[in-house]
Amino acid sequence: QVQLVESGGGLVQAGGSLRLSCAVSRSAFSILAMGWYRQAPGKQRELVARISSGGNTNYADSVKGRFTISRDNAKRTVFLQMNSLKAEDTAVYYCNVPEGIFFSWGQGTQVTVSS
């Protein structure tokens, strides 16, 4: 059973930055593509960033140029650096694979951006 543990969220003013982390309890982490998702109140969960096993990245248009996804295979951790945060970035953020069969979702980490 793979566990996903997200951390790093918090309350930040608009224009501020946060760095999220996701620890993945899977020994073959390096071969996985990973993604960061978010779910705002009353909205569906959406994929905002993904990173391939080789380090290629893709972003949703809403976060492009502001968010950066990265990974540390030795630590089995994926990161999301979020800059120039906006009120509309407020959501619970989760990590998981970007496609295929999902792992069990973690508890997520709350990001609240005050305007």
Side-chain angles (χ1 to χ4, degrees):
Q1 180 83 357
V2 175
Q3 287 188 317
L4 305 171
V5 180
E6 300 93 349
S7 61
L11 174 62
V12 63
Q13 288 188 330
S17 299
L18 284 172
R19 189 190 194 210
L20 307 184
S21 299
C22 171
V24 182
S25 66
R26 176 171 168 155
S27 58
F29 172 77
S30 63
I31 68 171
L32 294 175
M34 291 295 299
W36 278 99
Y37 297 77
R38 67 185 181 188
Q39 187 168 21
K43 294 189 176 181
Q44 287 191 326
R45 192 172 294 173
E46 62 170 339
L47 179 66
V48 297
R50 60 184 293 167
I51 185 167
S52 72
S53 58
N56 293 320
T57 58
N58 292 96
Y59 301 92
D61 287 344
S62 58
V63 307
K64 200 171 294 183
R66 300 188 297 120
F67 289 11
T68 302
I69 188 171
S70 61
R71 64 191 298 157
D72 184 333
N73 288 336
K75 295 182 178 179
R76 284 182 269 173
T77 301
V78 60
F79 303 98
L80 187 68
Q81 178 67 43
M82 306 187 296
N83 298 329
S84 303
L85 283 162
K86 305 176 181 179
E88 51 262 45
D89 295 320
T90 295
V92 180
Y93 284 71
Y94 304 87
C95 66
N96 214 312
V97 293
E99 58 197 359
I101 300 174
F102 293 122
F103 298 130
S104 295
W105 294 90
Q107 82 287 351
T109 187
Q110 175 71 48
V111 172
T112 303
V113 184
S114 62
S115 56

